[in-house]
mmCIF file of all heavy atoms in Angstrom:
data_model
loop_
_atom_site.group_PDB
_atom_site.id
_atom_site.type_symbol
_atom_site.label_atom_id
_atom_site.label_comp_id
_atom_site.label_asym_id
_atom_site.label_seq_id
_atom_site.Cartn_x
_atom_site.Cartn_y
_atom_site.Cartn_z
ATOM 1 N N SER A 1 236.476 158.365 100.221
ATOM 2 C CA SER A 1 237.502 158.859 101.131
ATOM 3 C C SER A 1 236.943 158.907 102.498
ATOM 4 O O SER A 1 237.607 159.356 103.440
ATOM 5 C CB SER A 1 237.930 160.310 100.733
ATOM 6 O OG SER A 1 236.814 161.159 100.599
ATOM 7 N N GLY A 2 235.725 158.266 102.706
ATOM 8 C CA GLY A 2 235.165 158.160 104.027
ATOM 9 C C GLY A 2 234.070 159.237 104.269
ATOM 10 O O GLY A 2 233.807 160.071 103.467
ATOM 11 N N CYS A 3 233.415 159.145 105.480
ATOM 12 C CA CYS A 3 232.439 160.129 105.758
ATOM 13 C C CYS A 3 233.037 161.342 106.496
ATOM 14 O O CYS A 3 232.458 162.387 106.590
ATOM 15 C CB CYS A 3 231.290 159.490 106.577
ATOM 16 S SG CYS A 3 231.896 158.783 108.154
ATOM 17 N N THR A 4 234.263 161.086 107.060
ATOM 18 C CA THR A 4 235.052 162.137 107.673
ATOM 19 C C THR A 4 236.466 161.864 107.263
ATOM 20 O O THR A 4 236.731 160.940 106.521
ATOM 21 C CB THR A 4 235.035 162.229 109.175
ATOM 22 O OG1 THR A 4 235.756 161.085 109.706
ATOM 23 C CG2 THR A 4 233.544 162.194 109.729
ATOM 24 N N ALA A 5 237.382 162.612 107.670
ATOM 25 C CA ALA A 5 238.826 162.447 107.312
ATOM 26 C C ALA A 5 239.372 161.143 107.829
ATOM 27 O O ALA A 5 240.306 160.553 107.227
ATOM 28 C CB ALA A 5 239.649 163.603 107.792
ATOM 29 N N SER A 6 238.750 160.552 108.897
ATOM 30 C CA SER A 6 239.332 159.313 109.458
ATOM 31 C C SER A 6 238.325 158.155 109.649
ATOM 32 O O SER A 6 238.728 157.121 110.078
ATOM 33 C CB SER A 6 239.939 159.625 110.869
ATOM 34 O OG SER A 6 238.927 160.234 111.737
ATOM 35 N N THR A 7 237.081 158.375 109.329
ATOM 36 C CA THR A 7 236.033 157.417 109.557
ATOM 37 C C THR A 7 235.247 157.133 108.258
ATOM 38 O O THR A 7 235.219 157.944 107.309
ATOM 39 C CB THR A 7 235.043 157.817 110.667
ATOM 40 O OG1 THR A 7 234.345 158.995 110.256
ATOM 41 C CG2 THR A 7 235.717 158.002 111.994
ATOM 42 N N TYR A 8 234.665 155.941 108.232
ATOM 43 C CA TYR A 8 233.849 155.485 107.054
ATOM 44 C C TYR A 8 232.272 155.460 107.287
ATOM 45 O O TYR A 8 231.514 155.617 106.420
ATOM 46 C CB TYR A 8 234.260 154.120 106.659
ATOM 47 C CG TYR A 8 233.509 153.577 105.419
ATOM 48 C CD1 TYR A 8 233.843 154.068 104.134
ATOM 49 C CD2 TYR A 8 232.488 152.626 105.566
ATOM 50 C CE1 TYR A 8 233.114 153.537 102.975
ATOM 51 C CE2 TYR A 8 231.811 152.227 104.462
ATOM 52 C CZ TYR A 8 232.135 152.722 103.190
ATOM 53 O OH TYR A 8 231.334 152.226 102.086
ATOM 54 N N CYS A 9 231.966 155.333 108.585
ATOM 55 C CA CYS A 9 230.532 155.274 108.959
ATOM 56 C C CYS A 9 229.831 154.050 108.317
ATOM 57 O O CYS A 9 228.804 154.256 107.565
ATOM 58 C CB CYS A 9 229.783 156.528 108.681
ATOM 59 S SG CYS A 9 230.497 158.049 109.328
ATOM 60 N N PRO A 10 230.310 152.842 108.560
ATOM 61 C CA PRO A 10 229.716 151.679 107.884
ATOM 62 C C PRO A 10 228.274 151.377 108.127
ATOM 63 O O PRO A 10 227.634 150.724 107.344
ATOM 64 C CB PRO A 10 230.657 150.525 108.361
ATOM 65 C CG PRO A 10 231.171 151.017 109.706
ATOM 66 C CD PRO A 10 231.270 152.484 109.548
ATOM 67 N N ASN A 11 227.728 151.821 109.249
ATOM 68 C CA ASN A 11 226.397 151.555 109.659
ATOM 69 C C ASN A 11 225.382 152.596 109.227
ATOM 70 O O ASN A 11 224.134 152.386 109.352
ATOM 71 C CB ASN A 11 226.237 151.278 111.092
ATOM 72 C CG ASN A 11 227.105 150.079 111.591
ATOM 73 O OD1 ASN A 11 227.149 149.103 110.907
ATOM 74 N ND2 ASN A 11 227.710 150.223 112.743
ATOM 75 N N ASP A 12 225.873 153.781 108.677
ATOM 76 C CA ASP A 12 225.018 154.814 108.247
ATOM 77 C C ASP A 12 224.284 154.336 106.895
ATOM 78 O O ASP A 12 224.923 153.737 106.048
ATOM 79 C CB ASP A 12 225.713 156.084 107.964
ATOM 80 C CG ASP A 12 226.142 156.689 109.183
ATOM 81 O OD1 ASP A 12 225.823 156.303 110.316
ATOM 82 O OD2 ASP A 12 226.823 157.877 109.118
ATOM 83 N N PRO A 13 223.053 154.738 106.690
ATOM 84 C CA PRO A 13 222.357 154.484 105.384
ATOM 85 C C PRO A 13 222.964 155.298 104.375
ATOM 86 O O PRO A 13 223.365 156.428 104.568
ATOM 87 C CB PRO A 13 220.926 154.877 105.711
ATOM 88 C CG PRO A 13 220.962 155.851 106.828
ATOM 89 C CD PRO A 13 222.119 155.466 107.708
ATOM 90 N N VAL A 14 222.960 154.740 103.157
ATOM 91 C CA VAL A 14 223.436 155.488 101.932
ATOM 92 C C VAL A 14 222.360 156.280 101.356
ATOM 93 O O VAL A 14 221.269 155.832 101.092
ATOM 94 C CB VAL A 14 223.968 154.437 100.902
ATOM 95 C CG1 VAL A 14 224.508 155.205 99.645
ATOM 96 C CG2 VAL A 14 225.056 153.618 101.401
ATOM 97 N N THR A 15 222.670 157.621 101.068
ATOM 98 C CA THR A 15 221.646 158.443 100.379
ATOM 99 C C THR A 15 221.754 158.160 98.829
ATOM 100 O O THR A 15 222.743 157.714 98.330
ATOM 101 C CB THR A 15 221.879 159.897 100.688
ATOM 102 O OG1 THR A 15 223.114 160.328 100.117
ATOM 103 C CG2 THR A 15 221.955 160.163 102.173
ATOM 104 N N ARG A 16 220.734 158.605 98.205
ATOM 105 C CA ARG A 16 220.738 158.482 96.651
ATOM 106 C C ARG A 16 221.818 159.339 96.038
ATOM 107 O O ARG A 16 222.388 158.961 95.027
ATOM 108 C CB ARG A 16 219.363 158.841 96.149
ATOM 109 C CG ARG A 16 218.256 157.812 96.435
ATOM 110 C CD ARG A 16 216.861 158.238 96.085
ATOM 111 N NE ARG A 16 216.767 158.746 94.683
ATOM 112 C CZ ARG A 16 216.472 157.847 93.674
ATOM 113 N NH1 ARG A 16 216.321 156.557 93.931
ATOM 114 N NH2 ARG A 16 216.388 158.317 92.481
ATOM 115 N N GLY A 17 222.173 160.426 96.752
ATOM 116 C CA GLY A 17 223.212 161.261 96.212
ATOM 117 C C GLY A 17 224.544 160.688 96.343
ATOM 118 O O GLY A 17 225.347 160.661 95.463
ATOM 119 N N GLN A 18 224.860 160.133 97.561
ATOM 120 C CA GLN A 18 226.078 159.444 97.777
ATOM 121 C C GLN A 18 226.268 158.251 96.933
ATOM 122 O O GLN A 18 227.327 157.966 96.357
ATOM 123 C CB GLN A 18 226.178 158.994 99.271
ATOM 124 C CG GLN A 18 226.253 160.107 100.307
ATOM 125 C CD GLN A 18 225.998 159.574 101.730
ATOM 126 O OE1 GLN A 18 225.451 158.476 101.867
ATOM 127 N NE2 GLN A 18 226.341 160.406 102.624
ATOM 128 N N MET A 19 225.114 157.554 96.744
ATOM 129 C CA MET A 19 225.175 156.340 95.836
ATOM 130 C C MET A 19 225.567 156.717 94.419
ATOM 131 O O MET A 19 226.397 155.990 93.764
ATOM 132 C CB MET A 19 223.836 155.661 95.806
ATOM 133 C CG MET A 19 223.620 154.451 94.987
ATOM 134 S SD MET A 19 223.213 154.970 93.276
ATOM 135 C CE MET A 19 221.701 155.909 93.489
ATOM 136 N N ALA A 20 225.104 157.781 93.873
ATOM 137 C CA ALA A 20 225.483 158.212 92.521
ATOM 138 C C ALA A 20 226.940 158.451 92.415
ATOM 139 O O ALA A 20 227.639 158.029 91.474
ATOM 140 C CB ALA A 20 224.708 159.611 92.188
ATOM 141 N N VAL A 21 227.529 159.054 93.415
ATOM 142 C CA VAL A 21 229.040 159.285 93.459
ATOM 143 C C VAL A 21 229.819 157.971 93.382
ATOM 144 O O VAL A 21 230.714 157.733 92.588
ATOM 145 C CB VAL A 21 229.535 160.077 94.717
ATOM 146 C CG1 VAL A 21 230.980 160.252 94.652
ATOM 147 C CG2 VAL A 21 228.786 161.429 94.726
ATOM 148 N N PHE A 22 229.412 156.936 94.265
ATOM 149 C CA PHE A 22 230.031 155.748 94.343
ATOM 150 C C PHE A 22 229.921 154.915 93.045
ATOM 151 O O PHE A 22 230.894 154.357 92.520
ATOM 152 C CB PHE A 22 229.517 154.894 95.460
ATOM 153 C CG PHE A 22 229.736 155.462 96.803
ATOM 154 C CD1 PHE A 22 228.800 155.475 97.809
ATOM 155 C CD2 PHE A 22 230.910 156.062 97.193
ATOM 156 C CE1 PHE A 22 229.007 156.039 99.028
ATOM 157 C CE2 PHE A 22 231.240 156.681 98.401
ATOM 158 C CZ PHE A 22 230.175 156.609 99.332
ATOM 159 N N ILE A 23 228.739 154.978 92.426
ATOM 160 C CA ILE A 23 228.495 154.155 91.214
ATOM 161 C C ILE A 23 229.267 154.700 90.047
ATOM 162 O O ILE A 23 229.900 154.007 89.263
ATOM 163 C CB ILE A 23 226.958 154.145 90.892
ATOM 164 C CG1 ILE A 23 226.190 153.267 91.873
ATOM 165 C CG2 ILE A 23 226.800 153.591 89.447
ATOM 166 C CD1 ILE A 23 226.451 151.812 91.861
ATOM 167 N N VAL A 24 229.223 156.010 89.905
ATOM 168 C CA VAL A 24 229.893 156.630 88.700
ATOM 169 C C VAL A 24 231.439 156.493 88.925
ATOM 170 O O VAL A 24 232.157 156.203 87.907
ATOM 171 C CB VAL A 24 229.542 158.127 88.588
ATOM 172 C CG1 VAL A 24 230.386 158.862 87.554
ATOM 173 C CG2 VAL A 24 228.063 158.208 88.232
ATOM 174 N N ARG A 25 231.939 156.729 90.105
ATOM 175 C CA ARG A 25 233.422 156.534 90.266
ATOM 176 C C ARG A 25 233.883 155.165 90.003
ATOM 177 O O ARG A 25 234.854 154.880 89.326
ATOM 178 C CB ARG A 25 233.804 156.906 91.686
ATOM 179 C CG ARG A 25 233.887 158.463 91.954
ATOM 180 C CD ARG A 25 234.319 158.720 93.389
ATOM 181 N NE ARG A 25 234.468 160.152 93.619
ATOM 182 C CZ ARG A 25 234.522 160.685 94.850
ATOM 183 N NH1 ARG A 25 234.544 159.916 95.942
ATOM 184 N NH2 ARG A 25 234.669 161.973 95.010
ATOM 185 N N ALA A 26 233.018 154.190 90.470
ATOM 186 C CA ALA A 26 233.428 152.736 90.283
ATOM 187 C C ALA A 26 233.348 152.387 88.808
ATOM 188 O O ALA A 26 234.208 151.738 88.312
ATOM 189 C CB ALA A 26 232.436 151.835 91.036
ATOM 190 N N ARG A 27 232.281 152.846 88.060
ATOM 191 C CA ARG A 27 232.164 152.527 86.635
ATOM 192 C C ARG A 27 233.252 153.042 85.807
ATOM 193 O O ARG A 27 233.716 152.316 84.866
ATOM 194 C CB ARG A 27 230.746 153.039 86.160
ATOM 195 C CG ARG A 27 230.469 152.686 84.703
ATOM 196 C CD ARG A 27 229.118 153.296 84.313
ATOM 197 N NE ARG A 27 228.815 153.015 82.885
ATOM 198 C CZ ARG A 27 227.957 152.118 82.388
ATOM 199 N NH1 ARG A 27 227.328 151.356 83.315
ATOM 200 N NH2 ARG A 27 227.757 151.924 81.174
ATOM 201 N N PHE A 28 233.716 154.241 86.089
ATOM 202 C CA PHE A 28 234.667 154.916 85.190
ATOM 203 C C PHE A 28 236.112 154.897 85.802
ATOM 204 O O PHE A 28 237.039 155.442 85.223
ATOM 205 C CB PHE A 28 234.283 156.291 84.900
ATOM 206 C CG PHE A 28 233.024 156.408 84.076
ATOM 207 C CD1 PHE A 28 231.849 156.862 84.587
ATOM 208 C CD2 PHE A 28 233.164 156.093 82.706
ATOM 209 C CE1 PHE A 28 230.692 156.901 83.759
ATOM 210 C CE2 PHE A 28 231.983 156.127 81.894
ATOM 211 C CZ PHE A 28 230.793 156.538 82.469
ATOM 212 N N GLY A 29 236.305 154.255 86.947
ATOM 213 C CA GLY A 29 237.633 154.240 87.589
ATOM 214 C C GLY A 29 238.107 155.627 88.042
ATOM 215 O O GLY A 29 239.309 155.828 87.866
ATOM 216 N N LEU A 30 237.219 156.391 88.542
ATOM 217 C CA LEU A 30 237.579 157.766 88.943
ATOM 218 C C LEU A 30 237.976 157.751 90.383
ATOM 219 O O LEU A 30 237.481 156.939 91.203
ATOM 220 C CB LEU A 30 236.431 158.770 88.685
ATOM 221 C CG LEU A 30 235.818 158.817 87.293
ATOM 222 C CD1 LEU A 30 234.562 159.579 87.280
ATOM 223 C CD2 LEU A 30 236.902 159.435 86.342
ATOM 224 N N THR A 31 238.719 158.768 90.797
ATOM 225 C CA THR A 31 239.059 159.035 92.227
ATOM 226 C C THR A 31 238.580 160.332 92.543
ATOM 227 O O THR A 31 238.210 161.169 91.734
ATOM 228 C CB THR A 31 240.569 158.879 92.434
ATOM 229 O OG1 THR A 31 241.253 159.783 91.608
ATOM 230 C CG2 THR A 31 241.095 157.460 92.199
ATOM 231 N N ALA A 32 238.558 160.667 93.888
ATOM 232 C CA ALA A 32 238.063 161.934 94.414
ATOM 233 C C ALA A 32 238.855 163.097 93.733
ATOM 234 O O ALA A 32 240.001 163.043 93.609
ATOM 235 C CB ALA A 32 238.250 162.037 95.907
ATOM 236 N N GLY A 33 238.031 164.059 93.212
ATOM 237 C CA GLY A 33 238.640 165.242 92.591
ATOM 238 C C GLY A 33 238.724 165.137 91.092
ATOM 239 O O GLY A 33 238.823 166.152 90.420
ATOM 240 N N GLN A 34 238.662 163.924 90.485
ATOM 241 C CA GLN A 34 238.586 163.799 89.026
ATOM 242 C C GLN A 34 237.210 164.203 88.480
ATOM 243 O O GLN A 34 236.234 163.968 89.051
ATOM 244 C CB GLN A 34 238.934 162.341 88.657
ATOM 245 C CG GLN A 34 240.345 161.936 88.817
ATOM 246 C CD GLN A 34 240.668 160.661 88.233
ATOM 247 O OE1 GLN A 34 240.212 159.529 88.689
ATOM 248 N NE2 GLN A 34 241.344 160.546 87.120
ATOM 249 N N THR A 35 237.311 164.887 87.370
ATOM 250 C CA THR A 35 236.117 165.426 86.718
ATOM 251 C C THR A 35 235.815 164.648 85.418
ATOM 252 O O THR A 35 236.719 163.898 84.968
ATOM 253 C CB THR A 35 236.276 166.893 86.377
ATOM 254 O OG1 THR A 35 237.331 167.097 85.464
ATOM 255 C CG2 THR A 35 236.463 167.790 87.609
ATOM 256 N N PHE A 36 234.640 164.817 84.903
ATOM 257 C CA PHE A 36 234.200 164.088 83.727
ATOM 258 C C PHE A 36 233.097 164.889 83.074
ATOM 259 O O PHE A 36 232.419 165.732 83.712
ATOM 260 C CB PHE A 36 233.696 162.707 84.064
ATOM 261 C CG PHE A 36 232.705 162.669 85.214
ATOM 262 C CD1 PHE A 36 231.326 162.821 84.945
ATOM 263 C CD2 PHE A 36 233.096 162.556 86.472
ATOM 264 C CE1 PHE A 36 230.336 162.840 85.881
ATOM 265 C CE2 PHE A 36 232.208 162.620 87.488
ATOM 266 C CZ PHE A 36 230.795 162.702 87.215
ATOM 267 N N PRO A 37 232.843 164.736 81.794
ATOM 268 C CA PRO A 37 231.767 165.508 81.152
ATOM 269 C C PRO A 37 230.361 165.046 81.527
ATOM 270 O O PRO A 37 230.141 163.803 81.673
ATOM 271 C CB PRO A 37 232.028 165.197 79.611
ATOM 272 C CG PRO A 37 232.688 163.881 79.613
ATOM 273 C CD PRO A 37 233.626 163.870 80.862
ATOM 274 N N ALA A 38 229.447 165.967 81.698
ATOM 275 C CA ALA A 38 228.132 165.660 82.020
ATOM 276 C C ALA A 38 227.232 166.862 81.611
ATOM 277 O O ALA A 38 227.748 167.961 81.472
ATOM 278 C CB ALA A 38 227.908 165.457 83.524
ATOM 279 N N GLY A 39 225.961 166.560 81.371
ATOM 280 C CA GLY A 39 225.104 167.675 80.852
ATOM 281 C C GLY A 39 225.042 168.849 81.771
ATOM 282 O O GLY A 39 225.019 168.723 83.029
ATOM 283 N N MET A 40 225.035 170.039 81.251
ATOM 284 C CA MET A 40 225.096 171.213 82.094
ATOM 285 C C MET A 40 223.662 171.696 82.497
ATOM 286 O O MET A 40 223.456 172.302 83.521
ATOM 287 C CB MET A 40 225.643 172.400 81.239
ATOM 288 C CG MET A 40 227.138 172.164 80.892
ATOM 289 S SD MET A 40 228.170 172.015 82.338
ATOM 290 C CE MET A 40 228.129 173.624 82.975
ATOM 291 N N ALA A 41 222.640 171.369 81.727
ATOM 292 C CA ALA A 41 221.285 171.723 82.086
ATOM 293 C C ALA A 41 220.715 170.670 83.077
ATOM 294 O O ALA A 41 220.752 169.470 82.654
ATOM 295 C CB ALA A 41 220.340 171.827 80.860
ATOM 296 N N PRO A 42 220.282 170.990 84.205
ATOM 297 C CA PRO A 42 219.883 169.972 85.228
ATOM 298 C C PRO A 42 218.692 169.097 84.651
ATOM 299 O O PRO A 42 217.760 169.650 84.114
ATOM 300 C CB PRO A 42 219.346 170.787 86.384
ATOM 301 C CG PRO A 42 220.066 172.159 86.261
ATOM 302 C CD PRO A 42 220.223 172.364 84.741
#
């Protein structure tokens, strides 16, 4: 949904945390706000 409500920040480096969100959403066809099962213990 962007880095802000109106921008994407195309030149910013991607963090490993952000990358996880993008990869998982892409793999499972998820959109922002959708949940999925994942292990509870870190």
Side-chain angles (χ1 to χ4, degrees):
S1 55
C3 60
T4 71
S6 61
T7 60
Y8 180 78
C9 306
N11 298 321
D12 285 1
V14 179
T15 68
R16 288 171 57 88
Q18 293 168 342
M19 177 275 304
V21 177
F22 297 138
I23 291 289
V24 171
R25 281 182 180 165
R27 183 182 177 104
F28 293 106
L30 303 172
T31 58
Q34 285 188 290
T35 60
F36 51 89
M40 298 298 292

